[in-house]
């Protein structure tokens, strides 16, 4: 106790900076956002207030609920797509690739795109999926279709494809880690006990990789849920997501109170998802001995 | 009765690139035997076990179990089960689920009721009733070891493979588990093949010991055969300790040969019959406990100087030197015998006698 008191100035000096950082850049902005959500708007000005009109508007106007549900749907599809691509890839890297050098090279090639600008990677899909894009050129030159198709770009499918491509590293990274941490002895033990490779996969590898599935899915879902670039670049008229709506409220629509209420709602949705994910993760966690 | 061996290795070899883990090896294990593969790390004992279990593919030769060629068969199609060194229990399953795991396979066709009774039977056999719902993470090392045993025997394998099963346990627990292993082997009546680097464990448990060195079998025999008649200086030193000294043959007289071991000391041995007649340089082996303090006028004696004495409770371990011999000679004196000698302080000179029947002689130029 005396020791604590004697070193208090040093302690305060050491931790005041990060504490101030959290306070100024996280707690205060969230506080402002949440309180502005209760203000009223009298165009073009906003007045401090405490009323639930903004929330009432969000839940009564089908425009907002449709967009929120669509965003949830797209984020869910992106998560499933990333899992469907990421799990086999991580499994292949960990269990099939024998050479450590080749494994690291392939793993790096999954992660390296993260160093490239996000915009650039999203834009690439515009070039691939467009009417005179790479995909159409391939289809026409191989004679599968006679004229270029315009069905690939500017729709929700294009958004899901683009977002899966962009966020798949966030799925592969935790999956690679959990699969790599499964002791090979457990797989040998399963086979020793008369269980073939297929059932060993379902009864040993899948249960022990659930932590990675949950972590990867949570990250992918949250990132996709908050995305606003893919709808603009490759999404069509029915591609608007929650983040685009938010942008509009703080920009063209000039309705900060409504925007703040919407942002608070998004925050609550993400927090609930994180809470569920952490519950699932704790329930499925096992001590690897 | 000429029975087929339960496990037979025929010229089985294993190479990893340029490294040879196991040179072409023949080994036959009879039904119901307790066989130990013994050797230092890297001698090929674990590789041999993994070749039998099916975890490694043989580079050459055939592996037979019950006479059937299983060389190409994966582990899940071999009638053997393994107790792994680190137990390899499934962390996401309870004790009962771990043990029932190998019974739940469709091809086994075991009704649920029988599965349950076999699990409880296996748990009782290893003395673990009452812990069925625990996870492996909640068990002590000894308990995990028992679960690993139960999981392996519940499938009633023809052969149980044990990979250093006791090495992760502390000394007290290990001694208790040795007794348990011996009891399990007797009660189950199946073949045990165990890998260990601990010669005490091998001597205490095995019907036969396979001593391995550098990817080859050095000698196969019962514990007493290996202890009393080691084939090479390596085996002599690995199974129990042996003082190995260079010597020259200076004469033969019937079944006795006379050997000079430096400094003019002549030792007679009655165990040199296997040494080629023209051999000159040989290696002598003397077990520490065969060197007995004696009067100076007895035949076959060594005059040795005490370099160090170490108190071991019931006995005294002496490090001794002799003129003309460049390495220390060790012996152990019971406490009761210490009173009979003048002094065991460093620097004291003592006379030791060894029976010519206890002096081992090996062909060979140089000490290993």
């Amino acid at each position: 106790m005396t020791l604590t008191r004697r070193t208090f100035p040093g302690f305060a000096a050491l931790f005041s900076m990060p504490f101030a950082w959290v306070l100024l850049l996280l707690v205060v902005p969230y506080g402002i956002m949440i309180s502005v959500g209760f203000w009223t708007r009298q165009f073009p000005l906003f007045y401090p207030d405490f009323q639930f009109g903004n929330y009432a508007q969000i839940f009564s106007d089908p425009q907002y609920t449709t967009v929120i549900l669509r965003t949830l749907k797209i984020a869910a599809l992106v998560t499933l797509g990333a899992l469907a691509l990421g799990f086999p890839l991580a499994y292949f890297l960990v269990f099939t690739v024998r050479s450590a050098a080749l494994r690291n090279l392939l793993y790096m090639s999954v992660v390296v795109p993260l160093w490239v600008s996000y915009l650039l990677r999203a834009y690439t899909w515009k070039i691939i999926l467009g009417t005179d894009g790479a995909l159409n050129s391939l289809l026409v030159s191989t004679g599968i279709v006679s004229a270029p198709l315009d069905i690939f770009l500017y729709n929700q499918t294009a958004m899901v494809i683009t977002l899966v491509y962009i966020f798949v590293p966030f799925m592969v990274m935790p999956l690679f880690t959990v699969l790599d941490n499964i002791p090979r002895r457990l797989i040998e033990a399963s086979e020793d006990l008369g269980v073939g490779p297929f059932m060993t996969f379902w009864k040993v590898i899948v249960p022990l990789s659930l932590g990675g599935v949950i972590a990867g899915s949570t990250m992918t879902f949250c990132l996709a849920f908050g995305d606003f670039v893919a709808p603009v670049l490759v999404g069509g008229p029915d591609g608007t997501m929650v983040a685009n709506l938010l942008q509009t409220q703080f920009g063209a629509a000039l309705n900060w109170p409504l925007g703040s209420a919407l942002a608070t709602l998004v925050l609550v949705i993400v927090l609930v998802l994180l809470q569920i994910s952490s519950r699932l993760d704790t329930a499925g966690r096992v001590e690897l001995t | 009765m000429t029975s087929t061996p339960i496990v037979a290795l025929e010229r089985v070899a294993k190479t990893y690139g340029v490294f040879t883990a196991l040179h072409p090896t023949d080994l036959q294990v009879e039904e119901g035997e307790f066989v130990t593969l013994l050797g230092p790390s890297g001698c090929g004992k674990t590789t041999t076990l993994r070749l039998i279990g099916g975890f490694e593919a043989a580079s050459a030769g055939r592996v037979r179990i019950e006479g059937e060629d299983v060389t190409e068969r994966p582990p899940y199609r071999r009638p053997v089960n393994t107790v792994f060194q680190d137990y390899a229990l499934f962390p996401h399953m309870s004790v009962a689920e771990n043990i029932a795991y190998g019974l739940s396979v469709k091809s086994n066709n075991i009704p649920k009721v029988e599965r349950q009774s076999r699990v409880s039977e296996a748990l009782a056999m290893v003395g673990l009733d009452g812990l069925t719902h625990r996870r492996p993470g909640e068990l002590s090392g000894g308990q995990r070891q028992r679960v690993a045993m139960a999981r392996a025997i519940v499938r009633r394998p023809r052969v149980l493979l044990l990979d250093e099963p006791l090495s992760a346990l502390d000394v007290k627990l290990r001694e208790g588990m040795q007794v348990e292993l011996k009891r399990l082997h007797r009660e189950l009546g199946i073949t045990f093949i165990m890998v260990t680097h601990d010669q005490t464990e091998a001597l205490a448990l095995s019907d036969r010991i396979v001593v391995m060195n550098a990817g080859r079998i050095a000698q196969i025999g019962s514990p007493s055969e290996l202890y009393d008649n080691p084939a090479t200086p390596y085996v002599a030193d690995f199974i129990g300790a042996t003082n190995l000294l260079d010597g020259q043959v200076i004469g033969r007289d019937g079944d006795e040969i006379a050997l000079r071991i430096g400094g003019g000391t002549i030792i007679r041995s009655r165990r040199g019959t296997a040494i080629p007649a023209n051999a000159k340089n040989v290696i002598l082996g003397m077990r520490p406990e065969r060197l007995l303090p004696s009067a100076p006028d007895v035949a076959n004696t060594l005059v040795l100087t005490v370099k160090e004495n170490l108190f071991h409770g019931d006995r005294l371990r002496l490090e001794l030197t002799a003129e003309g011999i460049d390495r220390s000679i060790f012996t152990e004196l019971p406490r009761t015998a210490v009173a009979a000698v003048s002094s065991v302080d460093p620097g004291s000179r003592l006379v030791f006698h060894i029976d010519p029947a206890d002096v081992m002689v090996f062909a060979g130029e140089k000490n290993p």
Side-chain angles (χ1 to χ4, degrees):
Chain A
M1 206 56 209
T2 48
L3 188 74
T4 312
R5 214 169 287 145
R6 223 183 307 159
T7 56
F8 183 76
F11 177 85
L14 185 63
F15 288 103
S16 60
M17 279 305 288
F19 186 75
W21 171 283
V22 169
L23 193 72
L24 279 176
L25 299 176
L26 286 173
V27 178
V28 170
Y30 277 133
I32 294 172
M33 181 185 85
I34 291 167
S35 49
V36 172
F38 297 108
W39 288 14
T40 46
R41 180 181 76 143
Q42 280 163 351
F43 192 83
L45 299 171
F46 321 122
Y47 295 101
D49 200 350
F50 187 76
Q51 48 84 31
F52 292 87
N54 300 316
Y55 289 96
Q57 195 184 343
I58 292 169
F59 287 112
S60 58
D61 188 339
Q63 182 204 336
Y64 298 111
T65 41
T66 309
V67 170
I68 289 172
L69 288 177
R70 177 194 299 148
T71 312
L72 286 170
K73 181 187 84 180
I74 289 192
L77 287 173
V78 169
T79 307
L80 283 177
L83 186 62
L85 289 176
F87 199 99
L89 176 65
Y91 184 91
F92 171 78
L93 289 180
V94 171
F95 292 107
T96 312
V97 180
R98 295 252 161 182
S99 134
L102 181 63
R103 175 166 42 235
N104 287 336
L105 185 76
L106 289 171
Y107 182 69
M108 281 313 288
S109 67
V110 174
V111 177
V112 154
L114 292 178
W115 299 351
V116 176
S117 154
Y118 169 96
L119 267 177
L120 206 62
R121 283 183 293 145
Y123 200 83
T124 311
W125 282 95
K126 211 177 161 97
I127 296 167
I128 295 171
L129 301 172
T131 316
D132 43 1
L135 182 60
N136 268 315
S137 311
L138 181 76
L139 290 176
V140 173
S141 67
T142 53
I144 293 172
V145 295
S146 52
L149 302 171
D150 56 2
I151 55 164
F152 302 124
L153 200 56
Y154 304 125
N155 54 38
Q156 294 188 7
T157 313
M159 281 167 59
V160 171
I161 291 173
T162 305
L163 289 175
V164 165
Y165 166 74
I166 286 170
F167 296 131
V168 87
F170 294 97
M171 186 65 91
V172 173
M173 284 189 283
L175 284 175
F176 181 87
T177 309
V178 288
L179 289 174
D180 201 35
N181 278 334
I182 296 178
R184 295 297 177 279
R185 277 290 162 85
L186 293 184
I187 294 158
E188 288 183 354
S190 174
E191 301 206 337
D192 181 71
L193 293 164
V195 178
F198 183 73
M199 285 314 285
T200 297
F201 175 78
W202 283 110
K203 295 171 98 172
V204 177
I205 296 173
V206 167
L208 291 178
S209 60
L210 276 185
V213 172
I214 291 165
S217 299
T218 308
M219 268 197 274
T220 310
F221 190 95
C222 291
L223 287 168
F225 189 77
D227 189 80
F228 57 93
V229 173
V232 174
L233 285 179
V234 298
D238 64 344
T240 310
M241 305 239 287
V242 153
N244 305 105
L245 219 54
L246 274 172
Q247 210 181 3
T248 317
Q249 298 311 319
F250 287 95
L254 202 67
N255 192 347
W256 288 26
L258 185 66
S260 294
L262 203 55
T264 307
L265 185 64
V266 168
L267 182 70
V268 168
I269 292 174
V270 169
L271 283 178
V272 167
L273 284 170
L274 287 176
Q275 189 61 34
I276 293 172
S277 143
S278 130
R279 285 276 169 82
L280 283 175
D281 194 32
T282 319
R285 181 167 297 155
V286 286
E287 189 192 341
L288 283 179
T289 46
Chain B
M1 192 177 83
T2 55
S3 60
T4 31
I6 185 107
V7 174
L9 304 185
E10 297 166 0
R11 310 303 295 159
V12 171
K14 180 70 192 175
T15 53
Y16 299 95
V18 292
F19 174 70
T20 303
L22 189 67
H23 293 279
T25 296
D26 288 301
L27 177 66
Q28 268 152 28
V29 178
E30 301 303 326
E31 174 102 55
E33 261 192 308
F34 196 134
V35 170
T36 302
L37 306 175
L38 176 66
S41 60
C43 71
K45 57 189 193 301
T46 301
T47 305
T48 307
L49 196 80
R50 290 174 61 81
L51 283 162
I52 299 170
F55 306 114
E56 304 284 350
S59 308
R62 312 310 297 171
V63 179
R64 287 180 194 283
I65 298 175
E66 303 178 275
E68 262 186 83
D69 188 340
V70 298
T71 318
E72 311 297 332
R73 278 205 231 160
Y76 49 91
R77 296 220 181 87
R78 296 190 186 201
V80 301
N81 283 117
T82 307
V83 177
F84 291 89
Q85 184 173 11
D86 49 9
Y87 317 137
L89 300 177
F90 302 117
H92 57 299
M93 297 179 196
S94 70
V95 167
E97 286 167 340
N98 261 286
I99 297 170
Y101 185 82
L103 299 176
S104 59
V105 194
K106 285 241 170 59
S107 61
N108 276 346
N109 249 333
I110 302 168
K112 201 171 179 197
V113 184
E114 199 202 323
R115 265 190 259 161
Q116 279 168 351
S117 70
R118 274 172 71 170
V119 169
S120 0
E121 193 189 321
L123 276 168
M125 202 141 197
V126 298
L128 263 189
D129 344 51
L131 294 174
T132 47
H133 298 295
R134 297 268 187 92
R135 289 281 176 97
E138 300 165 329
L139 301 178
S140 71
Q143 289 169 333
R144 286 182 203 178
Q145 217 280 332
R146 286 161 191 269
V147 177
M149 289 290 305
R151 188 178 68 175
I153 62 175
V154 78
R155 283 173 50 85
R156 299 180 182 156
R158 299 301 310 275
V159 181
L160 188 68
L161 306 176
L162 303 111
D163 186 5
E164 306 244 5
L166 310 181
S167 65
L169 304 176
D170 61 58
V171 182
K172 276 272 154 62
L173 210 51
R174 202 181 306 160
E175 282 169 3
M177 283 307 291
Q178 284 181 10
V179 179
E180 289 276 296
L181 270 183
K182 195 106 182 173
R183 175 184 65 81
L184 270 175
H185 177 245
R186 198 177 52 241
E187 286 179 10
L188 292 166
I190 61 172
T191 311
F192 277 35
I193 303 179
M194 179 175 85
V195 158
T196 184
H197 62 264
D198 182 345
Q199 48 118 350
T200 344
E201 203 169 286
L203 289 171
L205 294 173
S206 324
D207 296 322
R208 280 198 302 157
I209 298 175
V210 180
V211 183
M212 299 189 69
N213 184 27
R216 286 193 174 86
I217 292 178
Q219 192 177 359
I220 305 178
S222 71
S224 58
E225 276 167 20
L226 292 179
Y227 192 84
D228 296 337
N229 292 305
T232 64
Y234 173 80
V235 176
D237 200 34
F238 203 80
I239 305 276
T242 299
N243 292 302
L244 295 169
L245 303 171
D246 295 317
Q248 287 90 42
V249 180
I250 53 165
R252 292 175 187 252
D253 175 15
D255 59 348
E256 275 199 358
I257 61 174
L259 305 140
R260 188 201 322 246
I261 55 167
T265 307
I266 308 292
I267 289 289
R268 303 181 79 80
S269 168
R270 225 172 288 139
R271 293 173 65 169
T273 41
I275 298 298
N278 59 347
K280 179 122 183 69
N281 292 316
V282 292
I283 296 163
L284 279 82
M286 291 179 281
R287 296 276 184 201
E289 73 274 14
R290 297 295 177 191
L291 284 167
L292 307 166
S294 78
D297 51 352
V298 181
N300 235 26
T301 54
L302 290 151
V303 181
L304 302 168
T305 308
V306 178
K307 190 175 172 192
E308 204 63 75
N309 71 63
L310 303 160
F311 183 65
H312 274 216
D314 57 336
R315 65 222 139 76
L316 208 58
R317 185 171 160 82
L318 299 179
E319 183 181 356
L320 307 147
T321 54
E323 231 170 281
I325 298 171
D326 57 357
R327 61 170 67 194
S328 294
I329 296 172
F330 292 91
T331 182
E332 285 179 353
L333 287 184
R335 291 287 295 286
T336 48
V338 175
V341 301
S342 50
S343 162
V344 291
D345 295 332
S348 317
R349 285 168 71 84
L350 300 176
V351 180
F352 287 90
H353 163 75
I354 185 159
D355 191 308
D358 288 330
V359 179
M360 301 180 272
V361 184
F362 305 103
E365 285 286 311
K366 204 82 196 122
N367 241 328

